[in-house]
Amino acid sequence: MDLPLLRKTLDSLKLPAFRYRQIIKNYYSGRFLNFDQMTDLSLDLRQKLSKALPLLSVVEKTIIGDDSTKKALLELSDGQKIESVFMNYEDWLTACVSSQVGCPLNCSFCATGKMGLKRNLTSQEIVDQILYWNQKIYPKYIGRVVFMGMGEPFLNWENVIEAISIINSKDGLNIGARKISISTAGVVDKIKDFANLDTQINLAVSLHSADQKIRESIMPIAKQYPLSQLKNACNYYVGKTNRQLFFEYALMDINTSQNDAKLLADFISSNRLFFLNLIPLNPIGGDMLPASKDQQKIFIDYLNKFGVEYSLRRSFGQDINAACGQLATK
Ligand code: SAH
């Protein structure tokens, strides 16, 4: 919701501050599709609010999927569109939220990167994606939030941090820090700033190669923040928080040689709190090829030989183009 506008509207009606708090409480509950349903407010006030502002800053344009994964195309007040994903996985109802319209990083394997950056999302637009899913899955609630939709969360730092404080707050969505995860392509300065916040929020880093040359060729941000700096920042994070740090590694034709496995093993073994998540590459129709079954097997055999622990993630939502890196509004 546009909170400043709500405040202004209530002020112009000369309503006391507790009304504002009451409405905010209703809003964060995610139980209401519109002001009209807030029957703890007078009919007159409900009508005035409905005229003055929309409840959510995102409006559903399209939704597809099934009980396990859904993807929604949402329109913002200026007509820009974002995608947001819902995953129902092992009893955890998870919202995968976007932090930007598009993304400036242009990783070669990611569909969002092809759009370029249109703009940052406001904190309310981020929070409203979760409230939107709460409305959809009523009477259930979203229990986990991952910043793994469109955009680079650490390049929209202030709004993302503000959104997280609302998501985490008792007066907001009241989702515990450990149930929130952020993924970054490796914005080194912000990894350090994030460590300094000293929260329990999970951090994931999109690694995709432990070879500087290869990483640069698929993730342009690696030129600005080379692997050596990235590793330092990651060590700093782990030292500061004593929390596990997750590295995402999508299995591609280009990053699964024996040498890649060796470099990756060295990287991950360099800190006992580094943890590897292998994910299949979701095809986005460019020239990036997924590793073949054989390549995957050989690569994983090497990792086993080097004693690296990892989890092999299942990919959700491929059939509806909602899987990692496939979020792009056509
Ligand atoms: N910009 C952040 C957030 C995006 S999260 C980041 O880069 O981490 C999306 C995750 O999906 C990232 O780990 C990203 O590297 C990964 N990803 C992108 N395209 C993919 C693809 N085609 N297949 C599998 N994973 C992909």
Side-chain angles (χ1 to χ4, degrees):
M1 191 179 352
D2 184 338
L3 299 185
L5 183 56
L6 173 67
R7 176 80 79 181
K8 231 175 86 189
T9 309
L10 294 179
D11 283 351
S12 71
L13 296 169
K14 305 214 167 12
L15 286 169
F18 79 83
R19 280 289 172 227
Y20 180 78
R21 289 195 300 271
Q22 181 185 9
I23 294 165
I24 293 291
K25 191 160 172 250
N26 285 346
Y27 158 60
Y28 284 144
S29 76
R31 306 290 79 173
F32 299 95
L33 295 173
N34 49 51
F35 287 111
D36 231 29
Q37 293 176 348
M38 296 185 185
T39 48
D40 56 342
L41 306 175
S42 72
L43 181 61
D44 180 53
L45 178 56
R46 281 182 269 155
Q47 285 171 346
K48 283 183 175 139
L49 289 172
S50 304
K51 281 216 188 78
L53 71 165
L55 184 65
L56 295 189
S57 56
V58 300
V59 177
E60 176 187 295
K61 286 281 136 189
T62 321
I63 176 165
I64 47 172
D66 51 31
D67 285 345
S68 75
T69 313
K70 293 187 210 296
K71 177 170 84 164
L73 180 66
L74 303 174
E75 188 173 62
L76 311 173
S77 56
D78 62 353
Q80 297 279 8
K81 295 187 185 70
I82 53 164
E83 290 179 357
S84 222
V85 178
F86 164 74
M87 292 169 290
N88 183 354
Y89 174 49
E90 285 177 356
D91 289 343
W92 282 108
L93 305 177
T94 303
C96 175
V97 299
S98 294
S99 55
Q100 298 182 310
V101 185
C103 182
L105 295 183
N106 202 20
C107 299
S108 61
F109 47 85
C110 179
T112 307
K114 309 280 172 254
M115 298 170 62
L117 175 68
K118 303 275 165 43
R119 72 166 169 87
N120 283 333
L121 295 186
T122 65
S123 56
Q124 290 303 323
E125 287 165 340
I126 296 170
V127 171
D128 283 354
Q129 294 172 58
I130 304 165
L131 294 177
Y132 162 80
W133 287 118
N134 272 350
Q135 292 181 342
K136 282 281 149 189
I137 62 175
Y138 184 87
K140 295 183 179 149
Y141 284 95
I142 291 292
R144 281 182 196 249
V145 177
V146 297
F147 283 79
M148 298 188 185
M150 297 171 124
E152 168 53 47
F154 280 177
L155 292 180
N156 184 15
W157 175 260
E158 278 175 24
N159 295 345
V160 165
I161 296 300
E162 191 176 318
I164 288 179
S165 77
I166 297 171
I167 294 166
N168 188 221
S169 147
K170 292 263 178 305
D171 302 325
L173 275 63
N174 199 14
I175 296 176
R178 287 161 184 267
K179 304 287 186 299
I180 304 171
S181 303
I182 296 199
S183 180
T184 177
V187 183
V188 162
D189 310 336
K190 293 294 186 258
I191 293 176
K192 291 187 185 148
D193 291 348
F194 189 70
N196 291 336
L197 291 180
D198 223 355
T199 69
Q200 310 257 45
I201 296 162
N202 304 299
L203 183 63
V205 172
S206 300
L207 185 63
H208 302 309
S209 175
D211 179 316
Q212 175 63 23
K213 280 246 154 53
I214 297 180
R215 193 162 190 270
E216 260 178 45
S217 75
I218 54 178
M219 302 180 72
I221 191 179
K223 293 185 199 120
Q224 188 183 351
Y225 299 111
L227 272 171
S228 50
Q229 285 182 25
L230 179 62
K231 197 171 176 181
N232 282 341
C234 292
N235 283 323
Y236 179 80
Y237 170 86
V238 166
K240 184 89 190 165
T241 62
N242 204 27
R243 293 181 62 78
Q244 269 198 332
L245 181 51
F246 300 90
F247 291 91
E248 313 282 40
Y249 200 102
L251 299 167
M252 313 176 204
D253 174 50
I254 192 177
N255 66 359
T256 47
S257 72
Q258 179 180 353
N259 190 47
D260 292 322
K262 172 81 179 69
L263 291 171
L264 179 58
D266 288 347
F267 190 102
I268 297 295
S269 330
S270 70
N271 191 315
R272 68 181 176 88
L273 287 174
F274 285 1
F275 195 82
L276 178 62
N277 287 329
L278 297 175
I279 40 181
L281 181 78
N282 301 307
I284 60 159
D287 24 279
M288 298 304 297
L289 297 175
S292 68
K293 283 272 167 284
D294 277 354
Q295 279 173 312
Q296 288 191 27
K297 186 179 177 310
I298 295 170
F299 186 70
I300 287 171
D301 284 348
Y302 275 120
L303 291 179
N304 289 334
K305 200 179 97 192
F306 296 126
V308 181
E309 278 186 59
Y310 56 84
S311 77
L312 190 55
R313 290 285 179 89
R314 215 181 103 202
S315 182
F316 293 89
Q318 266 203 27
D319 52 332
I320 57 167
N321 282 342
C324 310
Q326 293 187 310
L327 297 180
T329 39
K330 299 211 178 67

